[in-house]
Amino acid sequence: RFGHFAKSPTLVNASACSAMSVTVGSNKLLVHIDKAEGLHHMNNFSGDKPYVVCEVKHADDHAELSRAETKPVTDGDTSNPVWNETLELEHWQQGEALEIAVYDKGLLASKTLIMPSEVFFPNGFNGRVSIPEFPKSKLHISVQVEFGTTAAGSPTAGAAEPLPNDES
């Protein structure tokens, strides 16, 4: 199942796209988990130390696990927790999805959404995503790709360059 993703289109410089698609070495995802809202709408949510786990869904089943998690929120409004953490997921390749799960330390189950790579590649993503089955529960996140080295040997940036006439 897919969460709801709202993203405005951005014009991208064609040379930036070609450089991004010719990477060698390891790319990584930088996933900033800002906050959540409305977690109390989730079934059986106790508000006991919520945390988020992100994992790259590798196309190759034998690839090294790429997984990271936030620290549990223990103070304040745990139905609307604030993490403000950036997770680094190594070994991401173009076309691989990002799985994001919200856990409650008091429960074993999670609510998971799958973010297809087309949502965050090549321009990144910054916005709110709905947690499947609970449209009133939102997660505020941003995702950027940090590229390995290009065939020419220079590192590539995580975001595409806007066209010169883009006033955004």
Side-chain angles (χ1 to χ4, degrees):
R1 295 208 165 157
F2 298 103
H4 174 73
F5 304 100
K7 185 175 178 181
S8 57
T10 303
L11 295 175
V12 177
N13 184 323
S15 64
C17 280
S18 62
M20 283 186 267
S21 61
V22 186
T23 58
V24 212
S26 183
N27 303 320
K28 69 177 154 182
L29 294 181
L30 301 176
V31 183
H32 183 78
I33 308 294
D34 184 27
K35 62 184 176 178
E37 58 188 41
L39 294 187
H40 62 279
H41 293 292
M42 294 169 51
N43 290 345
N44 301 317
F45 183 79
S46 68
D48 183 27
K49 304 174 188 166
Y51 65 104
V52 176
V53 175
C54 295
E55 183 176 334
V56 173
K57 301 311 290 179
H58 292 296
D60 177 4
D61 292 336
H62 297 93
E64 186 177 335
L65 181 66
S66 301
R67 180 182 172 133
E69 65 183 61
T70 64
K71 294 180 178 96
V73 172
T74 57
D75 297 325
D77 182 1
T78 57
S79 289
N80 300 295
V82 176
W83 290 280
N84 196 24
E85 288 185 49
T86 300
L87 306 176
E88 292 187 16
L89 300 165
E90 300 281 344
H91 311 294
W92 177 84
Q93 296 299 320
Q94 185 175 348
E96 294 179 328
L98 174 64
E99 179 180 271
I100 304 168
V102 179
Y103 285 90
D104 183 351
K105 282 282 191 191
L107 298 172
L108 296 176
S110 70
K111 299 303 174 197
T112 302
L113 63 99
I114 303 290
M115 181 180 277
S117 64
E118 295 80 19
V119 174
F120 58 84
F121 179 79
N123 297 323
F125 173 85
N126 184 20
R128 298 183 325 164
V129 293
S130 296
I131 298 170
E133 302 174 28
F134 302 98
K136 292 183 180 179
S137 299
K138 308 278 187 209
L139 196 56
H140 298 249
I141 65 169
S142 65
V143 181
Q144 290 183 310
V145 178
E146 186 174 280
F147 297 96
T149 316
T150 64
S154 61
T156 58
E161 300 172 24
L163 291 173
N165 294 334
D166 187 14
E167 297 180 18
S168 53

